[in-house]
Amino acid sequence: MTTRKLRKLSSIAALGALSALTGCGAALVEAPYYNVSEVQSFKVAGAPSQIMMLDIVDANDTLDNQTWADALSNHGYPPRLNFVTDAADISDTQTIKPENRLVVVINPTQTTMRGTLCTDPQSAKSDGTSDRVIVRFGFCAGDDIISETRARLVRNKFEQQVINSADTISFQLFPRHIRDEDDDNCSRRVPGC
């Protein structure tokens, strides 16, 4: 068996293990989508003072804005970002570009993905029957999606899972390098490879 096939099999096994964990109440953050080949420059240019707007779309008001901002701030590769939901919350010495933002949509409608995540994000009211809550995260530069990921969180552990998943979400949305899946010399265990 080739090394490439072994890697694919180990990935399938890892996904199986993640699926098993989801039955135990663990959060599942899905693989990201990138609309560009390099995200770091968009991050640095979009947040010159390492502060970025956080746009939360939540028909159910699941968590308050400050909890979201605190949970998602100061994670990932340096320079780490701090998030605010109101541009007035920054100091006079800091710069913010409101068009560059992290959009978070809780219980998104089917049409809320890719470009519409930046232009027309919509959250549906939850009927409370599902034990899972879908959350879609997108790094937007104006109307353009730069990166996107989705998380499936357990309803009765929602806040704690948001906090616990913040590192993973940040690493996926704001990678230092995007993995080249066609590079046979690149190990999947190396972050950013």
Side-chain angles (χ1 to χ4, degrees), residues 40-53 79-83 95-97 100-101 139 174:
Q40 185 72 3
S41 62
F42 285 91
K43 172 185 171 183
V44 172
S49 298
Q50 288 82 54
I51 296 177
M52 186 177 284
M53 287 298 298
R80 292 183 171 175
L81 298 176
N82 287 306
F83 293 98
T95 303
I96 195 164
K97 295 183 174 180
N100 299 300
R101 65 209 184 280
F139 171 30
F174 305 104

Side-chain angles (χ1 to χ4, degrees), residues 152-171:
R152 296 174 184 269
L153 307 175
V154 177
R155 184 176 304 282
N156 62 0
K157 299 177 182 180
F158 187 80
E159 182 175 353
Q160 191 58 50
Q161 286 192 336
V162 168
I163 293 166
N164 293 347
S165 302
D167 259 344
T168 302
I169 292 163
S170 186
F171 279 114

Side-chain angles (χ1 to χ4, degrees), residues 6-19:
L6 286 173
R7 282 190 201 142
K8 285 185 180 180
L9 287 175
S10 65
S11 295
I12 291 168
L15 284 174
L18 280 176
S19 296

